[in-house]
Amino acid sequence: MKRRKVDIVSLGCSKNLVDSERLMKMLADAGMNPCFEPERTTPGDIVVVNTCGFIGDAKEESVNTILEYADMRTRGEISKLYVMGCLSERYRKELPGEIPEVDGWYGKTDWPGIVRSLTSEHPGTAPYDRIITTPRHHAYLKIAEGCNRFCAFCAIPLITGRYRSRSPQEIEAEVKLLVSRGVKEFNIIAQDLSGYGCDINGGKSSLADLLKRLSDINGVEWLRLHYAYPADFPRDILPVMAERSNICSYLDIALQHISDKMLSAMRRRVDKRQTLELLDEIRAGVPGIHLRTTLMTGFPGEGEAEFEELKEFVRSQRFERMGAFAYCEEEGTYAAEHYEDEVAPEVKQQRLDTIMAIQEEISGEIQESKVGSVLKVMIDREEGDHYIGRTEWDSPEVDPEVLVAKAPGIKCGEFCNVRITGAMPFELIGTVHESE
């Protein structure tokens, strides 16, 4: 009997992607044929859109995607349409009346109901099992859901709810299962890594203990940390990172700003002095670490003096990896209800362009400093005359890549030592080291 096809369209972040992968496994176990990001649909297909609702652009993309498939549903080009994820969670009361073509609306936690709706069966899949959609050698590992921080600008706690850590036993079981299927690299993610374990461990982070546990698993080659929070940062992870060779010297820690005035207005619960001390401690504790951060321009109250302070921060810290975005007012947040969105859009964008230009120059200099060194590189794919890979300092999708000249013996999904022969701001160029 032919298994019915379900097309999964996953929007937004890697945390959403993990949910999509779990849904795919549940559907497959229930006898259906899940297809990730299909190139085309057929009239008998069921479509599930996993939405993002974080900022304005993401919400617009999600709505447009839903509308596109709703039109196809009306024309009979697909048979059913289901929506899940952040946007659906946040606007569950409003959206059904606006887009009646959707057969079912599900949020961030009740989406297993899609499987029950389609099969009349309760999903029997293990809570951590999933179908990996990334290249089989690397995967995202979500260790918690939710956020307790309530920063003034952020709608995530309104969407995801309070912080909920997964048990270390369940996370360990997931990693062992994925290792058995060929995964070597794990990118550890949560809305807030710093808070891991606080809800199940008497208010104390247990991220360090989790890292020890995971790094001891045979077959785990790389663990990389994403989305730490500066306030209440778990400093006890630093010696663990320094002593464990399979924990990447990499940390993604969103800082948003450095001006005390802005940090206070943003309700970040950390000030400039504490931020600078933390960054110094991280760099001293994990020599050679590459830090990725995210900054914001144009938050209400940011004047020229505060922006100059931010520019100087970027210049002096010389972050190895940095992203930034212009403030976008999100309804329901503290900022939307208490501040006037007073910085003109063109000023926000100009400031954003300015700090990214500063960062591009810094990135180029840091990349250039790697020329002549030999680095361990994970090969992701083959393109034209090169293999494309990443170092321990490069997370998939967001960080620089290494272009490796083709040579015998290179295999996708395997490591090789690469001598760096050239550099650009967001790429390295190299050849296989002769000893390989």
Side-chain angles (χ1 to χ4, degrees):
M1 180 178 177
K2 186 177 180 181
R3 305 206 311 170
R4 193 167 185 188
K5 184 162 167 271
V6 183
D7 299 327
I8 310 296
V9 180
S10 193
L11 306 174
C13 67
S14 54
K15 295 177 284 296
N16 260 18
L17 180 64
V18 171
D19 290 342
S20 295
E21 292 176 341
R22 289 181 60 204
L23 174 63
M24 290 175 66
K25 176 60 175 170
M26 290 180 182
L27 290 167
D29 287 351
M32 307 199 78
N33 177 27
C35 179
F36 183 71
E37 301 288 358
E39 292 184 1
R40 66 185 186 88
T41 58
T42 58
D45 286 3
I46 300 161
V47 174
V48 178
V49 180
N50 189 0
T51 58
C52 179
F54 177 43
I55 58 176
D57 289 346
K59 289 191 288 187
E60 182 178 0
E61 180 188 19
S62 292
V63 169
N64 288 340
T65 302
I66 297 168
L67 290 174
E68 176 187 349
Y69 284 104
D71 286 343
M72 295 173 68
R73 173 84 168 86
T74 299
R75 296 193 299 267
E77 295 174 11
I78 60 174
S79 64
K80 289 183 181 294
L81 173 60
Y82 294 88
V83 178
M84 60 182 277
C86 294
L87 186 82
S88 183
E89 178 75 38
R90 193 174 181 191
Y91 299 105
R92 193 180 302 222
K93 292 181 179 179
E94 297 88 348
L95 286 171
E98 298 290 333
I99 314 177
E101 297 86 354
V102 174
D103 293 280
W105 297 88
Y106 297 85
K108 282 294 291 178
T109 59
D110 63 345
W111 49 262
I114 295 174
V115 184
R116 290 191 293 272
S117 176
L118 293 175
T119 66
S120 300
E121 296 180 10
H122 184 79
T125 305
Y128 50 80
D129 203 358
R130 53 197 168 107
I131 294 175
I132 298 298
T133 60
T134 52
R136 68 185 301 269
H137 55 275
H138 73 79
Y140 295 101
L141 180 67
K142 183 161 65 169
I143 65 172
E145 187 74 82
C147 183
N148 294 346
R149 302 292 184 172
F150 291 95
C151 298
F153 54 84
C154 185
I156 286 177
L158 306 177
I159 299 169
T160 62
R162 304 291 286 184
Y163 199 93
R164 304 176 300 284
S165 300
R166 295 176 60 200
S167 75
Q169 294 83 4
E170 183 179 283
I171 296 169
E172 182 179 9
E174 178 179 359
V175 170
K176 288 180 176 179
L177 177 66
L178 293 177
V179 166
S180 74
R181 295 175 180 171
V183 177
K184 303 173 182 179
E185 172 187 352
F186 293 86
N187 293 286
I188 302 176
I189 57 174
Q191 279 86 6
D192 168 21
L193 284 186
S194 297
Y196 175 75
C198 291
D199 56 322
I200 56 177
N201 195 38
K204 183 180 185 300
S205 171
S206 52
L207 182 60
D209 290 338
L210 179 67
L211 291 179
K212 292 176 186 177
R213 190 169 189 150
L214 299 184
S215 64
D216 282 340
I217 296 173
N218 187 38
V220 173
E221 299 278 355
W222 276 352
L223 295 168
R224 189 179 290 107
L225 299 176
H226 279 275
Y227 320 125
Y229 195 90
D232 309 313
F233 180 83
R235 287 167 165 80
D236 57 348
I237 71 169
L238 300 179
V240 179
M241 294 178 69
E243 71 186 21
R244 305 284 175 122
S245 61
N246 59 352
I247 301 179
C248 297
S249 297
Y250 178 105
L251 179 67
D252 189 331
I253 179 168
L255 299 174
Q256 308 302 348
H257 219 283
I258 194 58
S259 159
D260 279 337
K261 174 185 173 183
M262 302 314 302
L263 291 171
S264 176
M266 291 177 175
R267 301 178 63 152
R268 295 286 287 172
R269 299 192 301 109
V270 67
D271 61 24
K272 179 177 183 177
R273 177 188 60 80
Q274 292 168 329
T275 300
L276 296 177
E277 289 177 354
L278 175 60
L279 292 174
D280 287 346
E281 189 172 345
I282 292 171
R283 292 196 183 278
V286 188
I289 193 169
H290 280 39
L291 294 178
R292 164 169 279 282
T293 196
T294 305
L295 302 175
M296 183 191 302
T297 63
F299 188 78
E302 184 189 63
E304 287 301 323
E306 290 75 31
F307 181 60
E308 286 297 322
E309 200 170 353
L310 184 63
K311 284 165 45 179
E312 178 55 32
F313 179 58
V314 173
R315 293 190 186 101
S316 62
Q317 283 297 315
R318 296 180 62 81
F319 291 105
E320 288 80 9
R321 313 282 184 252
M322 193 197 85
F325 64 101
Y327 170 71
C328 175
E329 184 176 274
E330 288 296 316
E331 59 185 300
T333 61
Y334 185 90
E337 294 179 353
H338 293 84
Y339 304 147
E340 181 182 351
D341 188 5
E342 59 189 359
V343 182
E346 60 271 20
V347 174
K348 294 178 186 178
Q349 187 61 47
Q350 182 183 43
R351 291 175 180 174
L352 175 61
D353 294 342
T354 298
I355 62 168
M356 290 309 300
I358 296 171
Q359 179 61 27
E360 182 172 357
E361 183 176 348
I362 292 169
S363 296
E365 293 168 357
I366 291 172
Q367 294 285 85
E368 189 68 33
S369 71
K370 295 180 171 69
V371 174
S373 60
V374 177
L375 304 177
K376 181 180 178 180
V377 172
M378 166 62 80
I379 301 299
D380 282 335
R381 63 190 186 278
E382 182 180 353
E383 284 186 7
D385 296 331
H386 294 87
Y387 284 94
I388 310 299
R390 293 171 292 106
T391 72
E392 66 174 303
W393 305 310
D394 304 315
S395 193
E397 306 293 336
V398 297
D399 287 329
E401 295 179 315
V402 184
L403 280 63
V404 184
K406 284 189 175 179
I410 301 179
K411 295 180 180 179
C412 293
E414 301 290 343
F415 292 102
C416 66
N417 290 327
V418 175
R419 181 172 294 280
I420 304 304
T421 59
M424 294 174 281
F426 305 110
E427 287 179 333
L428 294 174
I429 302 169
T431 59
V432 175
H433 187 43
E434 290 180 2
S435 65
E436 285 290 313

